[in-house]
Structure formats: C-alpha cells, structure tokens
Amino acid sequence: MPARTRTPGGPTLARRLWRSWQARIGGTIVVGLVLVVLLAPTLAPYDPLHPSVLDRFQGPSRAHWFGTDDLGRDILSRIVYGSRVSLRIGVIAVGIAFAAGVSLGLLAGFYRRLDNPIMRTIDVLLAFPGLLLAIAILGALGPSLTNAMIAVGITTVPSFVRITRSAVLRVRSQEYVEASRALGVRDGRILIRHVLPNISPEIIVTTTLSMANTILAASVLSFLGLGAQPPTPEWGAMVFVAKNYLGLAPHTALFPILAIFVTVLGFNFLGDGLRDALDPRLYQR
C-alpha cells in the first residue's frame, strides 16, 4: 500500500524530524536563510551596490559588521542580498533537474522499451565530471547567471533520473499497480495517482540534497568567472573578486565563504534528516 506519514503506534513525520539533530540544525539554517531572503531590504544596513572609495577594505566594525570590500561596499549587505541570488539559483536549477529527471526516470522505470535508451543517454552525461560538463555548457551558451542555472540544472538531471528509476522499478511490481492495470486504468493515471506518491520520499530527499549541490556548483562557476558577473552580490562572485586581496583584506573572502559553507551544510543536514524521517523501516523507532 502507499507509504504513510504515520503508522499505528508510530510517531508522526514532524516528531521523527524533531528527533533528528541533523534535521533540527538543517531546518533552522534553511528557515533562517528563507527569512534573510524575505527580509533582505530590512536586514541589510546599506545598499549592496553603492561604492564608497574612502571606506575601502575596512575591517569588521560597528559601522560595518563584516567590513567592506575593494570598492567600499558593505560586505554584510552584499551577503544578505546574495542569499536571494543563491537561493534563486538553487530553486531554478533544481526545478530544471526535477522536471526533466523525474519525468525521464518515470518513463525509464515504467516502460522497459524506454529504459535502455534513456539510461544510456544518462550514462553519457555521467561520463563527464559535473563541473566540467557545466563549464562546457557555459562555453556554448556564454557566461551569465541565467546560463549557469541552466548548466547546473542539466548536470543535476542524472541524479534525479537514477533515483526516480530505481524507485519506480521497486513500486511498479506492487499489487496495487498490477490491480490498476488489470482494471484498465491508463498508464498516465497510474503513474500520477499510484507510482509518484509512493516514490515521493526518495524524490524529496534528492531535491533537498540537490539544493546544496547546485548552490555550491553555481558558486564555483561564479568564482571561475562563468556565473554571476560583478557587481551582482553573489557569494561565489564575491570570493572571485576577493581572491586578489587576500593578503590585504582576508575578511572580504572569509564571510562569503562562510555563507556558502553554512548554507550547504544546512541543506545537507536537512536532507539527511528527511532521509531518516521518511524511511519506513524507522517508523517504529
């Protein structure tokens, strides 16, 4: 039968999540990130794009908690607004991978005649390291934030396809699927009403973990000069500029790196906690 969020005598999903220290920490970080994104105009003390040459390379102080960069811009304000860019990158890139990967995974797992051509195509994509494939795509499309999101989304598709396909292979032989087929229910309805809901735990965990990977990958591309371009307040682009001044003002690189680290850690922790909470083998614990 379809997986449930609660079994008789078992804890609810919320309680299982609360029991996981990883889910608590990761959830707190992710919720905090969302609040920063929503309240950026209120939280940022300065205009993130406004330069002040007289204030260049100031260290952390009361006026500028995280200091200023090479143009005198407030680093805290740029990190706050950079959270909007990074979260948008993650959402759009994962959205691309989710739409393409889940669709192909459903087809590959449910229709045996489509399994081989789809999976061999995915094997070709997996033959290239993800970062190199993204760089190659950006070489064809041109460096920009939008193209970086597309490139990262494409490189993330194989993980969604493989996870979805393996989950569908497990579910398609279940009795309720066979019964629906025997009753003449159309394949599309079976996939949407029966298969997809029962593989949703795997997809949810993959989506959460992919958010961390896409944000990190996009930051790396921006650091290489292929993603967000200055003066966009994106964390990887900030590190790209700050690398020229590490000896003079190391704080200009430190705080964007910490922002990337905390955000990626938060999504990874949340994904691990969701994986444990959604595992039916742990329902009774």
Side-chain angles (χ1 to χ4, degrees):
M1 294 298 292
R4 296 174 292 181
T5 58
R6 181 170 185 169
T7 56
T12 62
L13 175 60
R15 289 184 178 179
R16 292 197 301 273
L17 279 173
W18 184 251
R19 289 179 181 179
S20 171
W21 64 270
Q22 291 174 311
R24 292 198 299 270
I25 295 176
T28 300
I29 293 174
V30 171
V31 170
L33 175 66
V34 173
L35 290 177
V36 169
V37 168
L38 296 175
L39 301 176
T42 302
L43 296 176
Y46 300 93
D47 183 343
L49 301 179
H50 179 69
S52 178
V53 179
L54 296 179
D55 296 327
R56 297 174 70 228
F57 299 126
Q58 287 190 10
S61 64
R62 284 190 176 183
H64 303 280
W65 287 10
F66 289 178
T68 60
D69 63 7
D70 60 311
L71 296 179
R73 296 171 297 191
D74 182 66
I75 294 178
L76 173 59
S77 300
R78 290 180 62 77
I79 288 178
V80 168
Y81 275 90
S83 65
R84 287 184 162 185
V85 179
S86 294
L87 190 61
R88 184 177 62 177
I89 290 172
V91 170
I92 294 178
V94 171
I96 293 171
F98 179 93
V102 172
S103 299
L104 291 173
L106 286 171
L107 295 175
F110 200 75
Y111 298 105
R112 294 185 178 180
R113 66 181 183 276
L114 298 177
D115 186 21
N116 193 58
I118 290 176
M119 296 312 298
R120 298 298 74 78
T121 303
I122 296 303
D123 289 340
V124 171
L125 291 177
L126 289 173
F128 297 92
L131 184 59
L132 291 181
L133 180 59
I135 292 174
I137 295 172
L138 284 171
L141 299 178
S144 71
L145 181 60
T146 300
N147 292 340
M149 290 187 286
I150 295 173
V152 173
I154 292 174
T155 60
T156 310
V157 168
S159 61
F160 276 90
V161 174
R162 291 169 69 91
I163 292 295
T164 303
R165 172 184 175 271
S166 63
V168 172
L169 290 175
R170 170 179 55 81
V171 170
R172 76 176 184 183
S173 59
Q174 297 295 319
E175 293 181 355
Y176 55 88
V177 175
E178 296 295 338
S180 297
R181 279 178 163 175
L183 291 173
V185 179
R186 294 182 178 180
D187 289 348
R189 188 175 180 84
I190 293 174
L191 286 172
I192 295 174
R193 293 291 301 275
H194 299 291
V195 176
L196 193 56
N198 283 279
I199 65 173
S200 58
E202 290 93 333
I203 296 177
I204 291 172
V205 172
T206 303
T207 300
T208 306
L209 295 174
S210 295
M211 284 290 294
N213 295 332
T214 54
I215 290 174
L216 181 60
S219 297
V220 172
L221 291 174
S222 295
F223 176 78
L224 296 175
L226 299 174
Q229 303 296 309
T232 303
E234 196 274 336
W235 298 334
M238 292 172 65
V239 179
F240 171 72
V241 174
K243 67 179 174 53
N244 299 316
Y245 310 103
L246 289 178
L248 177 63
H251 66 276
T252 58
L254 173 63
F255 292 109
I257 290 173
L258 286 177
I260 297 171
F261 169 76
V262 171
T263 300
V264 172
L265 185 70
F267 278 107
N268 278 329
F269 274 2
L270 181 59
D272 288 340
L274 282 170
R275 180 178 56 197
D276 293 340
L278 294 171
D279 189 345
R281 293 171 296 182
L282 303 177
Y283 280 1
Q284 300 299 329
R285 292 187 180 182

